Every structure is written in C-alpha cells, then in structure tokens.
C-alpha cells in the first residue's frame, strides 16, 4: 500500500463536500449567527470557546456544577464522559433547555458510544480494525454506525478518529487506539471512519496533531517529547493529517506534545504553540476548520501551565475551542486581561466565535429538538452486533501454522484448552468442551481487566495466585494427558504495555514451555503487541481483543468455518513484522509468478484489460485469480460494487456465479455419488425421481442430461405465470411481502413465494415438450433436475450436501447459496436492477428468476463465492481429486467427467470445454491457447472458471456485468474474459 488507494481518493472528494457543510454560509445561517452573536457580552464570547466536562453518573452535586457553568458563564459546549445513555439524554435535554446559546455536545467515542456509556455495546478498538486487509468500506460502515449513535444521542462532535501512527510498542496512551504503524493504512482507514461519521452530519476530529504515536510517556501524566526532524515528521506523522485535511475533516485536536522541530520553547506543547497551531496546521497545511485542544486538565500541559494559563496560551496559539479548561471564571479573566494587554485581539476572538456559531447552525442546533428516550438503548445497539461480528472476523490473523493437521479440528482427537488469565470459563472453552469433549485447564485466573479507557488513571492491577510451581504441575498434567491438540488462549491481559501488559512471570513461563509442543496452537486474545512474548510459537493466531465475537471467530477458524484474512497492524518481533498474515491456506498458498514458471511483467496486461472493463462500463467490478502448479500467482480486484462507485470491491467480495453453479455444485455432487456407487449416469431420471415417472422425462438418461442433449427445452419463464401480465408486478395470490408460514420461499427483499410452488416448477418441467433426442440444446432445466437427483439420493438439500462434502472441508468459507444468511451485504456484489419481475436491484439474492423461485438453491444457479474459495475446488479437480492430503473424488471420475463426451458438441459431463477445432477457429473458445484438456464453465452474470491440466493452470474471472442491466454486452464485445485467459498462457515460460 504505497500509494493512495482509489477508495481514499473517492473519500477525499466526498468528504471534502461533507466537511464544507459544517462551514457553509447561507442567508439563514448568517442571519442566525449575527443575531446570536449580538446577544453575547464579552465574557459570553470567550466562554463560547470552552468545552467543559460532563458526566451522567456523578450525582446531583456534579449536575449542579455543570448547570452553573451553563447558566452563569454560558459555556460553548459539553464533553460527556462516563454514564448511562438515558441519563445522559435527559441531562442533555436539560442542559440545552437552560442554555442561552445552544450547546455543542461532544464525546470522546473512538470505539463508539460504548466507550463511555453503560448498556451500549462497544465497537472494537482501532488497532483491531488495522488488522483488516484493504476493506475501507467496512471501516466506513463502522464510522457511519458511530455517527448514527451520536445523532441519536444529540451529540454534534465525536473526538475521533485517532490518526496517530503507533510506531512505538511502548506507547502508553495511544497504542491500540491507533490503526497501526503504517501511514497509508492509518490515512485510509482514518478517512473512511471520518466519512462515515460526517455523512451523518456529525463532526469528526482528527487527533492528536502533529502525531502522538512515537512516545513512551502518557500525556495525561507528563509532557511527551518527540525528537524528530521536520523532514521525518512530514514524511510520517503528518501524513495521515494531511490526507484527512484534504479529505475534509471537520476538526483537528491538538496534542500535548513537545516537538522541538516545530517549537523549541521549553515545555511548550504543540497544543499551545503558535508555530504548531497557526504556523503549521493552519497556514502550511491549510486547515480552516475548528481546532480543539486536547483536555487542558491533563498533566502534560497543566504541569507547566496551571489554572487558566493553559486556556490563554491555547487561544494565543490559534486554537478555536478549549477542551476542559478547568477554572472557567479564572480562565475568562486571564483572557480578558490578555486582550487588554494586546496579546489577543477581539477580532480574533469574534471570528472564532462566529465560526463556532456557524457550525452550530449547520449542525441543526438553531432548532432545539429534545432527545426522545423511547427505545434509546436498542437504537444505539442497532448495528453493534452485525458490525462487531464482521470486524472481528475480518481482523482475525493467522501468523503461523506449522502443523496443518491442527485445523480444522477433528472430532476423534483428544483436545485440551488451556486458558491463561481468564476470569471464569471463556466462551471458546465452553464450545470446545460441548462439541469436542475438550479438557479445560485454567491458569492465572484474575478479575477482568483490559477494558479500561485510556484516560482512567486509577485502574488497579488485578493480582493472581499463580506461581511457577503451579505452572509445572499443569505442564506435567498436560503431558500425562497425551493430547493430540493443545489449544492455548491468552486472555484478559492489559491493553497497555506497562509491566508487559500485566502478564505475570508464571504465565510467561507457562507460555514459553507450551510453545515447545508441536501440537500446541496459541490464540492471543488482546493487544497484538503482547505476541512478542511468544514469537516462536509454532502455530499462532492473533485475535486482537478478548470478547465474545473474537472468541467466536477463533472457534469458527479452528473448526474450519472461517478463513483468517487479517494481517498484523504493527510489528511485534523480527520474525513477525507489520503485514504478517497467512491469508491463503497453506495447501493453496500464494507465490511469486516466477516461482511457478510465469513471467510477472506480462501480468500488467491483465491489470490493463480488467481496468478497461471498469472504465468502459463492461462491469462495475471484477475479481481475477490465476493459479499454477498449485499456487496462486495472480489475485486482484478492480472497480466497485455499483456504477455509483461508492463501495469498492475487494478480494473478499462475493459474486453471483450464475451457471458456474452447474459445475461447482451440481456436477461435483453427481461425481461424488458416482464415485460412491449411489448414482449411475447410464440410468434414467425415472430411476431416481418419482416426479418424472409416468411422464416423457422418465426415460431420459442422466448422461444425456449432463451433456444437454436429453431433449429438454432450454428455458421456462416460470416467473411469467405469477406476475400481472400488464403491470409485471408479482401477484398477491402467490407472494407475500413478509415471510409467513405458507410463504417461506425468499425470492427477493420483501418478496416471499408460496411454499407449494417448487412442486409446480417441477411439474412444469415434466409437462414441457421434448426436443429431438441427441441434439445439443443448452438447458437450465437439465441441472434443475440433476439437483433433484442429488437430493433424492442423499436425503439432503443440494446446498447441504456440497457444503458437507466439499466446501467446508476445503474451507471454502465464502462459497454458499443464500449468502445473505452469512455474509455482510456490502461484501456481496449486487447484480441487475430488475424491472420485469422483482422490481428491485438484486443484492444477495440470486439473479436467475427460476433459481430465486426455488428459494435460491437450484442446480443451475444460486451459488455465490469469492475467487479464492472457488479456486480451491478447481485446484482439487486439477489435483485429480486430492487437496491437502485428503481425497474428495477419484481420478477416474474426474477424467471421465472432464473429457469430451459427445459427438454432437464440445461438452464434457456437466463441464464446458474448448471447441474441438479451437486451434483453427475464427472465434476460439474459451481462448485460442486453451488445450483440449481444459474444462470449466461460464456464468450469465459475467463469471467463468477454466482449468487446463496441460499447463497446471486455474483461471477464475468473477464480475457483476449484469449490473444494472443484462443488456450490457461490453464484456463480450471487449473480449475481456478470453483476453485475460490468453495473457495467462503468454505468461507461461516455455
């Protein structure tokens, strides 16, 4: 990530517009500002630049003190800290009702309002998000959810995000509040977080300028020093701030940092330095929004500038608003005296007051609307569950897996779970005991910690009763247990690096002894910097935090139901630097093209072809993967989910495979049943399907059905029977807008079909006319019926059977029917804006109308996947049925199904193949250099998969070219899929 990604450039444009909304001058705004300003006396104007502390959990005396500041001194705003949501809402309503000028309500909610308010579920810290690979859209969704929380609570400013680059592991105050140590990711994710907040008209605040990441002193306690040259600061610490300013962040918070390269005056922090605030931030970097000081009560500033002196120096430096200045009347008097002494001017004060008032107007504060407390807590938690699950799953980071037999977990193994530091039995341990009969061992149990907010200076360090003797007893017990797998969870340690995260010596001893065992796998549930204690662990997973969601994600990975996709956001030791993460399975790894005998420089042509498709409108987005000799050599994503270019696609984006379902689900299922002797392709439909008996379909031979030459008609428009022929709208006698007992078949959003219509569809196929036998006619109906054969033989739905036999053991996590049930919507590529049946954009529901009417699970369409997971299935086929030491299909059945099987067509059994005259054909298919051994399929939505055993090559192209309409033919006229495939052959070194 060495240049600004396209998503960041897009955010810069959009955010700049959003930030301007806070400062836009309108006739109404200017009138209100002028009118409000005129009502202020001189003390009011100074107080308007002050934000004071407020809590909703400190009782009547505190409320009275805040009330006095609001009524008597007319302060500009409040910053709420700990308390409860309903209490804070009621207090906000009260304080606003007694305020002469509307109050700007602020909060320090870096990980959402759960950082401050009880009953609100917190989001993860930023460092967990920094472990997520290239998924700024997900960070945007998080920011938007935080913005929605603030809006619901009557908050106008959130002091977030932190855009400090944490490149000092000993940083006691920033640390896991940062997105990590790499400036590009900090800038990208900080901007995404900010846009999400500001798109809800909540002002974000980039902090702590000019960069608080490379310190070892807590500014709450003393003044940190950053001894770097201006050149060093400009290239690193300032980079995210410059990106945020360019992107239109509404405000910036000045840090209490002594930076001699900016201002060498002794003890003068950047927060009160005119060189830093006015000279660097405003003049050089061009920031024109509101600057907040960090809390002036912090010892980093108060130690050297007590009482109101810090407030005065902050204004002289050029700050707009003073956070927690402490002595309000004393500060006001000092500032008035400074104005008399011409250290400050009323022109400066007035300009800042008018800027603040303009922002208040544009935030809607001219109209005072009380907060409605009805259903408040539920509203605040509306998105926490879904987003926490998505964020923690995406951040899960596999650092090492030397023993690949440890995952996925096997039922026959003897398993132990050792928890170190946990307060009580962890969720993951409970699951392992319940489902795998694991033996549970607890060591160094202690009361909960690791949840503390960074400005809580009074947290105690829980003590444990463990010692080295207890550790040795446990080690001996484990040794006697003769376990096949020992799962070690490091739990409940401090977020802060002091005292080695408060991990005691006996625990460290136990960790180091256990990592000598090759059958041990370590889960680190907390700040990844603590991994430095066990860098030699043979099998190691970073889970980033210790929550239900992170433990669930770890358990799902362990059992083969989740792929670890994250990378380290920071360097933890020499062998585990920033960016470490095994994002590809060890049995299907990524490698340099040269290592697989391919010329990497030629791959630039693939980039150009794919990007041309985006630029010319052949599709909004696509994903391309190529593998050779069992290793991924090319894997990239291009473009966006829609042509509005709001959500970039990523390598995790899941696409509707359309007819690639025929080979990726139905055909491999038939192959498996043939292998097991449960299906004979020389038998007929009537032998397997009762519904076919007594019809002219009964005698159709399965082999002919697989070859599309059994005589079935190519397509039946099932949906036309259930819509109004004039309006095209679904008829109410067949559909419900809600899921009901007799309407369980989801066809689209708010559209459910009658349960009995699947039988009707099958009867319509049985009643359809037969075409001449032996004639090649490509038909969806062939594979609708073949799926029913699978279901009749196995007693399972098609999706259940292929998931059990192929997808789950191959860890094809994203490969699924009905993706909405398990995949976040913004990770699914939308398809057509359909106007003839469902009258909406298809997003997470299958594009094919017939498959939709079958509930999204059909033999001809309905499967979704990303490229990597799908490629694993085809690598298995290329390996003649074996993957990661396990046999899935026999070589014989693979050879039979992937060979030419018809004199009438180019088809294999289920699989498509090259034209037999490909070498001389004017329009070769799928491309000129594909060998006769090649097999695969294409999909109507703009997908394809091709495997060439001659070159040991797997090629996958996924797109949503039918978005927004199926009438877009540019994918074909530009020859994008075959041209990319041809480049791969040219890249093979002869």
């Amino acid at each position: 990530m060495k240049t600004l990604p396209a998503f960041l450039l897009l955010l810069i444009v959009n955010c700049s517009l959003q930030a301007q909304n806070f400062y836009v001058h309108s006739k109404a705004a200017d009138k209100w500002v002028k009118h409000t300003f005129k009502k202020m006396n001189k003390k009011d104007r100074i107080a308007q630049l002050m934000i004071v502390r407020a809590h909703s959990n400190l009782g009547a005396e505190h409320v009275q003190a805040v009330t006095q500041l609001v009524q008597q001194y007319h302060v500009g705003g409040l910053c709420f800290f700990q308390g409860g949501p309903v209490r804070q809402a009621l207090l906000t309503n009260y304080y606003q009702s007694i305020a002469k000028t509307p109050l700007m309500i602020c909060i320090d909610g870096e990980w959402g309002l759960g950082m401050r308010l009880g009953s609100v579920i917190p989001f993860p810290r930023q460092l967990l998000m920094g472990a997520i690979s290239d998924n700024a859209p997900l960070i945007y969704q998080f920011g938007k959810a935080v913005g929605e929380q603030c809006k619901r609570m009557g908050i106008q400013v959130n002091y977030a995000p932190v855009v400090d680059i944490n490149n000092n592991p000993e940083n006691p105050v920033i640390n896991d509040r940062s997105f990590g140590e790499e400036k590009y990711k900090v800038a990208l994710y900080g901007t995404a977080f900010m846009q999400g907040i500001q798109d809800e008209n909540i002002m974000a605040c980039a902090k702590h300028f000019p960069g608080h990441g490379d310190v070892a002193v807590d500014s709450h306690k003393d003044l940190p020093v950053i001894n770097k040259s201006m050149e060093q600061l400009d290239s690193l610490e300032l980079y995210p701030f410059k990106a945020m300013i360019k992107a239109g962040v509404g405000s910036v918070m000045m840090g209490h940092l002594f930076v001699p390269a900016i201002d060498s005056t002794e003890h003068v922090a950047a927060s009160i330095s005119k060189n830093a605030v006015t000279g660097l931030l405003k003049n050089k970097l061009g920031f024109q929004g509101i600057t907040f000081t960090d809390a002036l009560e912090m010892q980093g500033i108060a130690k050297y500038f007590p009482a109101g002196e810090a407030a005065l120096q902050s204004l002289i430096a050029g700050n707009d608003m003073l956070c927690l200045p402490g002595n309000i009347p004393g500060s006001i008097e000092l500032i008035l005296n400074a104005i008399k002494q011409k250290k400050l001017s009323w022109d400066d004060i007035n300009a800042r007051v008018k800027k603040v008032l303009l922002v208040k107007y544009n935030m809607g504060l001219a109209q005072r609307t009380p907060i409605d407390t009805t259903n408040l807590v539920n509203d605040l938690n509306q998105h926490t569950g879904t987003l926490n699950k998505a964020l923690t799953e995406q951040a899960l980071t596999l650092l090492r897996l030397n023993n690949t037999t440890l995952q996925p977990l096997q039922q026959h193994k003897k398993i132990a779970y050792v928890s170190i530091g946990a307060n009580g039995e962890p969720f993951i341990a409970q699951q392992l005991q319940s489902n795998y009969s694991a033996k549970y061992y607890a060591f160094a149990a202690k009361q909960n910690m690791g949840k503390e907010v960074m400005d809580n200076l009074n947290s105690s360090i829980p003590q444990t009763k463990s010692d080295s003797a207890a550790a040795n007893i446990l080690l001996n017990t484990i040794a006697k247990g003769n376990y096949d797998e020992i799962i070690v969870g490091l739990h409940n340690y401090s977020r802060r690096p002091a005292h080695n995260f408060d991990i005691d010596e006996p625990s460290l001893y136990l960790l180091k002894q256990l990592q000598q065992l090759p059958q041990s796998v370590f889960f680190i549930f907390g700040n990844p910097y603590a991994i430095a204690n066990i860098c030699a662990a043979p099998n190691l997973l970073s889970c980033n935090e210790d929550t239900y969601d992170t433990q669930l994600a770890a358990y799902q990975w362990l059992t083969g139901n989740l792929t670890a996709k994250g990378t380290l956001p920071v360097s933890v030791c020499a062998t585990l630097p920033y960016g470490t993460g095994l994002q590809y399975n060890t049995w299907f790894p990524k490698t340099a093209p040269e290592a697989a005998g391919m010329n990497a420089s030629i791959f630039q042509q693939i980039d150009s072809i794919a990007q041309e498709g985006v630029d010319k409108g052949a599709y909004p987005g696509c994903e391309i993967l190529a593998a050779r000799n069992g290793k991924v050599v090319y894997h990239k994503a291009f473009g966006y989910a829609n042509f509005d270019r709001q959500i970039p696609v990523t390598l995790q984006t899941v696409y509707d495979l359309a007819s690639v379902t025929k080979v990726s689900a139905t055909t491999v299922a038939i192959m498996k049943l043939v292998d097991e002797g449960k299906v004979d392709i020389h038998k007929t439909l009537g032998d397997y399907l009762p519904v076919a008996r007594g019809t002219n379909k009964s005698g159709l031979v399965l082999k002919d059905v697989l070859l599309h030459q059994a005589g079935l008609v190519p397509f039946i428009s099932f949906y036309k029977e259930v819509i109004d022929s004039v309006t095209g709208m679904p008829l109410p006698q067949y559909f419900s807008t809600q899921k009901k007992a007799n309407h369980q078949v989801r066809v689209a959003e708010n559209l459910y079909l009658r349960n009995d219509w699947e039988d009707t569809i099958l009867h319509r196929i049985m009643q359809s006319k037969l075409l001449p036998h032996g004639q090649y006619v490509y038909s969806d109906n062939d594979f609708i019926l073949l799926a029913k054969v699978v279901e009749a033989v196995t007693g399972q739905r098609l999706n259940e059977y292929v998931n059990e036999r192929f997808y789950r053991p191959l860890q094809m996590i994203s490969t699924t029917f009905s993706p909405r049930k398990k995949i976040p919507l913004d990770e699914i590529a939308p398809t057509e804006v359909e106007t003839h049946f469902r009258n909406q954009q298809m997003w997470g529901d299958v594009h094919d109308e017939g498959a939709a009417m079958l509930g999204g699970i059909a033999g001809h369409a309905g499967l979704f996947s990303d490229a990597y997971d799908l490629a694993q299935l085809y690598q298995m086929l290329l390996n003649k049925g074996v993957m990661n030491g396990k046999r899935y299909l026999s070589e014989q059945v693979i050879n039979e199904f992937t060979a030419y099987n018809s004199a009438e067509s180019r088809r294999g059994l289920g699989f498509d193949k090259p034209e037999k005259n490909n070498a001389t054909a004017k329009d070769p298919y799928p491309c000129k250099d594909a060998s006769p051994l090649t097999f695969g399929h294409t999909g109507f939505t703009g997908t394809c998969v091709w495997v060439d055993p001659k070159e040991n090559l797997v090629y996958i192209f996924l797109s949503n070219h039918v978005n927004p309409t199926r009438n877009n033919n540019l994918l074909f006229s530009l020859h994008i899929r075959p041209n990319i495939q041809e480049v791969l052959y040219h890249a093979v070194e002869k």
Side-chain angles (χ1 to χ4, degrees):
M1 197 183 294
K2 299 303 180 189
T3 58
L4 283 176
F7 184 67
L8 180 51
L9 297 175
L10 182 67
L11 287 177
I12 286 172
V13 175
N14 290 345
C15 285
S16 295
L17 296 174
Q18 183 62 47
Q20 290 168 13
N21 292 339
F22 296 125
Y23 301 100
V24 67
H25 286 270
S26 65
K27 188 174 180 180
D30 291 342
K31 181 181 178 181
W32 185 84
V33 170
K34 182 178 181 181
H35 175 75
T36 306
F37 182 81
K38 278 186 174 181
K39 294 192 295 183
M40 294 178 173
N41 61 36
K42 290 181 177 180
K43 289 185 177 181
D44 289 347
R45 290 181 231 163
I46 294 171
Q48 193 61 204
L49 305 180
M50 296 180 178
I51 304 288
V52 300
R53 176 183 286 271
H55 291 253
S56 58
N57 65 343
L58 294 185
E61 186 177 339
H62 171 75
V63 172
Q64 183 56 43
V66 176
T67 299
Q68 182 181 14
L69 294 175
V70 173
Q71 284 187 317
Q72 182 175 341
Y73 296 102
H74 308 134
V75 292
L78 307 176
C79 182
F80 273 98
F81 289 84
Q82 263 50 44
V86 174
R87 285 173 291 161
Q88 179 173 313
L90 294 174
L91 281 173
T92 299
N93 289 342
Y94 170 66
Y95 293 141
Q96 290 287 23
S97 73
I98 64 173
K100 177 182 176 182
T101 304
L103 296 162
M104 180 184 287
I105 305 298
C106 309
I107 200 161
D108 193 358
E110 296 164 15
W111 48 93
L113 299 196
M115 177 176 174
R116 300 294 177 183
L117 301 179
S119 306
V120 181
I121 299 168
F123 289 109
R125 311 297 193 268
Q126 287 184 195
L127 195 60
L128 178 145
M129 297 181 219
I132 297 171
S133 297
D134 296 327
N135 200 342
L138 182 58
I139 308 304
Y140 167 82
Q141 292 298 328
F142 154 70
K144 197 172 191 307
V146 173
E148 290 175 1
Q149 287 183 330
C150 291
K151 182 185 287 186
R152 184 66 179 86
M153 280 294 294
I155 295 165
Q156 289 78 47
V157 180
N158 186 8
Y159 294 142
V162 173
V163 289
D164 303 313
I165 299 167
N166 202 89
N167 49 4
N168 186 337
E170 299 303 316
N171 192 318
V173 64
I174 301 302
N175 215 288
D176 69 352
R177 298 162 66 196
S178 165
F179 284 116
E181 71 176 45
E182 207 255 7
K183 65 180 182 180
Y184 299 105
K185 178 171 273 188
V186 172
L188 175 64
Y189 283 9
T191 303
F193 184 4
M194 177 263 288
Q195 187 191 23
I197 295 173
Q198 294 194 170
D199 277 357
E200 293 299 318
N201 202 36
I202 305 300
M203 182 178 283
C205 183
K207 62 184 187 183
H208 307 80
F209 189 87
H212 209 313
D214 195 5
V215 302
V217 172
D218 186 346
S219 53
H220 292 89
K221 301 177 181 179
D222 208 335
L223 183 62
V225 180
I226 298 179
N227 283 310
K228 290 191 174 184
S229 69
M230 199 63 223
E231 183 180 8
Q232 290 173 313
L233 292 169
D234 189 62
S235 67
L236 188 64
E237 275 82 1
L238 294 179
Y239 182 87
F241 290 97
K242 290 188 285 186
M244 295 282 281
I245 291 167
K246 190 174 182 180
V249 68
S251 64
V252 171
M253 178 174 283
M254 300 300 301
H256 299 325
L257 305 159
F258 180 48
V259 190
I262 297 174
D263 192 330
S264 59
T265 308
E266 189 175 13
H267 304 315
V268 171
S271 53
I272 59 169
S273 165
K274 193 165 187 175
N275 287 356
V277 180
T278 301
L280 179 57
L281 178 60
K282 294 189 174 184
N283 295 341
K284 186 173 181 180
L285 300 186
F287 181 66
Q288 299 302 313
I290 286 178
T291 55
F292 291 93
T293 66
D294 205 345
L296 294 176
E297 63 187 22
M298 292 165 60
Q299 288 303 301
I301 192 77
K303 180 177 179 179
Y304 304 102
F305 295 88
E309 186 65 25
L312 170 60
Q313 294 303 322
S314 297
L315 288 178
I316 292 173
N319 286 295
D320 296 299
M321 301 202 79
L322 316 177
C323 289
L324 316 188
N327 183 349
I328 300 300
S331 297
I332 292 173
E333 290 303 321
L334 275 176
I335 293 165
L336 285 171
N337 288 333
I339 294 172
K340 290 177 183 178
Q341 297 170 20
K342 301 191 182 302
K343 295 179 181 178
L344 275 169
S345 74
W346 277 115
D347 286 345
D348 284 340
I349 297 294
N350 293 342
R352 294 176 211 181
V353 172
K354 290 175 182 178
K355 182 198 288 189
V356 170
L357 291 175
L358 179 63
V359 167
K360 287 186 175 184
Y361 179 87
N362 287 324
M363 287 174 167
L365 285 171
Q367 303 294 326
R368 304 194 195 193
T369 305
I371 303 162
D372 183 0
T373 58
T374 305
N375 207 42
L376 180 60
V377 175
N378 288 338
D379 290 346
L380 295 173
N381 287 321
Q382 181 180 0
H383 301 297
T384 52
T386 302
L387 276 170
N388 280 349
K389 182 175 186 293
L391 291 164
T392 54
E393 286 180 356
Q394 292 283 324
L396 191 69
T397 305
L398 178 61
L399 299 174
R400 194 175 291 126
L401 189 60
N402 291 346
N403 187 345
T404 57
T405 66
L406 299 179
Q407 188 264 352
L409 212 55
Q410 302 297 319
Q411 286 285 353
H412 66 272
K413 286 188 173 182
K414 190 176 182 183
I415 299 164
Y417 188 87
V418 181
S419 78
I420 300 176
N423 179 18
E425 196 171 294
F427 169 78
I428 185 173
Q430 295 172 24
Q431 293 300 301
L432 289 167
Q433 289 177 89
S434 298
N435 301 321
Y436 291 87
S437 302
K439 178 68 175 178
Y440 174 62
Y441 298 98
F443 186 81
K446 58 191 174 188
Q447 69 185 62
N448 280 337
M449 65 182 305
K451 307 292 185 185
E452 67 270 23
V453 177
M454 282 294 183
D455 59 11
N456 178 6
L457 305 182
N458 301 312
S459 59
S460 60
I461 300 173
Q463 300 297 315
T464 71
K465 298 180 180 179
S466 301
D467 54 29
S468 57
N472 281 319
I473 292 171
L474 178 55
L475 287 167
N476 289 333
T477 302
I478 291 171
K480 291 175 182 178
N482 196 27
Y483 292 103
D484 300 308
E485 186 160 348
I486 302 164
I487 304 159
V488 183
L490 180 60
H491 295 270
N492 195 28
Y493 58 87
S494 176
R495 293 172 49 218
R496 309 181 188 188
H499 313 294
N500 199 359
F501 300 93
D502 293 322
I503 304 170
D504 60 24
E505 288 300 323
S507 296
L508 292 173
Y509 170 75
L510 180 62
L511 284 167
K512 289 177 181 177
Q513 294 304 308
L514 289 172
Q515 72 180 346
Q516 307 302 316
L517 305 176
Q519 75 272 36
S520 62
V521 56
F522 290 79
F523 293 86
I524 309 304
F525 291 105
N527 190 322
Y529 277 121
I531 294 169
N533 290 293
I534 51 166
C535 278
N539 308 287
L540 180 60
L541 208 75
S542 174
C543 306
N544 302 290
E545 291 189 11
D546 194 5
T547 65
Y548 166 82
D549 290 297
T550 58
Q551 290 187 38
L552 176 60
Y555 176 75
Q556 289 178 322
W557 175 85
L558 191 61
T559 55
N561 291 302
L562 183 69
T563 301
K565 300 174 181 176
T567 59
L568 277 178
V570 292
S571 298
V572 297
C573 53
T575 56
L576 296 173
Y578 167 85
T580 300
L582 303 176
Q583 296 174 289
Y584 296 83
N585 290 330
T586 53
W587 58 86
F588 191 44
K590 191 172 185 181
T591 190
E594 290 80 6
M598 301 187 81
N599 185 341
S601 64
I602 295 178
F603 285 172
Q604 294 175 6
Q605 297 175 35
I606 299 177
D607 296 355
S608 299
I609 296 168
Q611 190 60 49
E612 180 186 27
V614 174
D615 296 340
K616 291 188 175 180
Y619 39 75
C622 70
E623 182 182 358
I624 304 160
L625 182 144
R628 189 162 192 253
N629 298 335
K631 296 179 180 179
V632 177
V633 294
Y634 182 95
H635 191 194
K636 290 187 179 182
F638 299 84
Y640 301 84
N642 280 306
F643 278 117
D644 63 9
R645 301 195 167 201
Q646 293 297 305
I647 303 176
V649 295
T650 70
L651 298 181
Q652 286 78 47
T653 299
V654 171
Y655 291 83
D656 184 334
L657 300 183
S659 286
V660 173
T661 303
K662 292 180 172 76
V663 289
S664 304
T666 312
T667 299
V668 294
I670 292 289
M671 293 166 73
K672 185 68 174 176
L673 294 172
V674 169
D675 249 351
E676 294 174 342
K678 296 176 181 178
V679 165
D680 183 345
I681 62 172
H682 301 288
K683 288 188 175 182
T684 66
L685 287 175
D687 290 324
Y688 297 101
L689 297 180
V691 71
R693 295 166 193 163
T695 74
N696 61 0
K697 311 302 184 301
S698 180
L700 301 185
V701 177
L702 293 191
K703 182 174 181 179
D704 290 331
V705 178
L706 283 160
L707 291 169
H708 296 279
Q709 56 187 48
L712 289 168
V713 294
F715 181 75
I716 300 174
S717 299
F718 303 110
Y719 74 92
K720 290 184 178 179
E721 195 173 337
V722 292
I723 63 172
D724 187 299
S725 60
V726 177
T727 65
M729 297 298 292
L731 292 168
Q733 59 263 43
Y734 301 113
F735 292 95
S736 170
T737 57
Q738 296 179 336
K739 190 175 184 179
K740 299 178 179 178
N742 57 346
H743 289 81
Q744 294 283 311
V745 181
R746 180 186 169 99
V747 174
E749 185 76 359
N750 301 320
L751 193 64
Y752 295 87
L753 180 63
R754 260 174 27 194
N755 299 346
D756 58 1
W757 252 82
E758 180 171 338
D759 291 339
T760 302
I761 288 173
L762 293 178
H763 283 295
R764 295 293 181 267
I765 297 174
M766 295 304 157
Q767 293 163 1
S768 64
K769 68 178 182 179
L770 270 181
L771 301 175
H773 176 266
Q775 178 182 328
Y776 170 61
V777 177
Y778 181 79
S779 173
D780 285 342
N781 296 315
D782 289 316
F783 279 77
I784 292 175
L785 296 182
L786 285 169
K788 295 304 171 187
V789 170
V790 173
E791 294 177 353
V793 172
T794 64
Q796 294 177 282
R797 292 297 304 271
L798 175 66
N799 62 315
E800 296 168 350
Y801 182 73
V802 292
N803 186 61
E804 179 184 293
R805 296 306 182 97
F806 296 102
Y807 305 160
R808 183 178 176 186
L810 284 167
Q811 294 198 26
M812 298 165 60
I813 307 301
S814 72
T815 309
T816 184
F817 292 87
S818 305
R820 277 173 169 258
K821 294 180 179 179
K822 61 181 290 189
I823 297 172
L825 201 59
D826 59 4
E827 292 181 29
I828 305 172
T831 55
E832 187 172 19
V833 180
E834 189 198 87
T835 58
H836 58 269
F837 170 30
R838 289 169 283 182
N839 300 291
Q840 58 183 274
Q841 184 169 39
M842 297 300 101
W843 201 333
D845 291 300
V846 61
H847 176 256
D848 183 271
E849 301 93 341
M853 293 177 69
L854 289 166
I857 302 168
H860 68 297
L863 193 63
F864 288 69
S865 185
D866 66 23
Y868 179 76
D869 285 344
L870 186 63
Q872 294 188 91
L873 179 69
Y874 287 90
Q875 185 62 48
M876 179 272 291
L877 295 174
L878 183 56
N879 294 347
K880 300 299 183 183
V882 177
M883 194 72 160
N884 192 28
K886 177 178 179 179
R887 179 164 291 283
Y888 293 84
L889 294 168
S890 70
E891 182 174 353
Q892 178 183 352
V893 79
I894 292 173
N895 290 340
E896 179 183 5
F897 272 68
T898 61
Y900 289 110
N901 271 269
S902 173
E904 302 298 321
S905 73
R906 63 175 188 252
R907 307 294 298 201
L909 295 176
F911 293 100
D912 200 359
K913 290 183 65 64
E915 293 289 359
K916 294 175 181 177
N917 63 342
N918 222 32
T920 58
K922 180 181 178 182
D923 295 311
Y925 176 87
C927 75
K928 182 180 178 181
D929 285 329
S931 81
L933 297 176
T934 300
F935 59 92
H937 216 284
T938 59
F940 185 75
T941 50
T943 61
C944 74
V945 55
W946 292 105
V947 178
D948 190 343
K950 179 183 177 184
E951 296 294 349
N952 263 337
L953 192 63
V954 175
Y955 162 52
I956 293 186
F957 180 94
L958 304 180
S959 78
N960 54 341
H961 101 97
V962 295
N963 178 0
T965 172
R966 66 185 67 191
N967 298 322
N968 179 0
N969 291 316
L970 285 170
L971 179 69
F972 310 104
S973 62
L974 293 173
H975 306 290
I976 289 171
R977 288 181 293 188
N979 286 350
I980 291 173
Q981 189 174 8
E982 198 63 44
V983 171
L984 291 172
Y985 284 103
H986 294 171
V988 174
E989 295 175 342
K990 306 300 182 183

